[in-house]
Amino acid sequence: MSTCNEPHHAHHDHQHGPNCGHTAIRHGDHTDYLHDGHLHHPHGDHVDEHRLEVSAKNPDQCTSNCGGHESGHVHGPACGHEAVPHGDHVDYLVNGHLHHPHGDHCDDHGPVELA
């Protein structure tokens, strides 16, 4: 078993890769895969749980506007957009951008690079 310091996703039998069916996102110097609200990174004999870091590219502040979907759309577990762990919260992937539900609007938490 690996001795890396990342949290592991226990009992994960799925093999992530370029044709596995999950959305692939560039994260630093590697590729992670969106899977049921988790950001998975295959690593040796296990899968690490990753989160996108809050940064200048992917901030966590209120922007009061994100666009990319119809007015009144509410992001959540059944909204049709994939959940992406970001900092201490969850955003939703819409047209290559992170959207964060915030009161009566959603915030644009920046772009992600799809792999």
Side-chain angles (χ1 to χ4, degrees):
M1 182 66 66
S2 173
T3 59
C4 71
N5 294 323
E6 297 287 334
H8 295 188
H9 186 96
H11 311 294
H12 190 70
D13 295 327
H14 177 76
Q15 295 294 314
H16 289 294
N19 297 309
C20 75
H22 293 110
T23 300
I25 293 180
R26 294 292 308 152
H27 181 207
D29 63 355
H30 62 274
T31 300
D32 288 340
Y33 297 89
L34 289 176
H35 188 179
D36 296 334
H38 299 266
L39 195 57
H40 286 170
H41 175 67
H43 185 230
D45 62 354
H46 63 278
V47 173
D48 290 340
E49 291 276 355
H50 281 186
R51 303 183 78 72
L52 295 181
E53 297 79 11
V54 173
S55 65
K57 177 183 174 185
N58 297 118
D60 65 353
Q61 76 249 14
C62 178
T63 62
S64 298
N65 185 6
C66 61
H69 51 70
E70 66 280 355
S71 177
H73 177 80
V74 177
H75 290 297
C79 76
H81 297 111
E82 291 185 273
V84 181
H86 176 222
D88 64 356
H89 61 275
V90 173
D91 290 338
Y92 294 88
L93 183 61
V94 179
N95 298 329
H97 280 257
L98 299 175
H99 287 200
H100 180 68
H102 184 213
D104 63 352
H105 64 277
C106 74
D107 297 329
D108 184 347
H109 282 186
V112 293
E113 182 183 345
L114 301 178

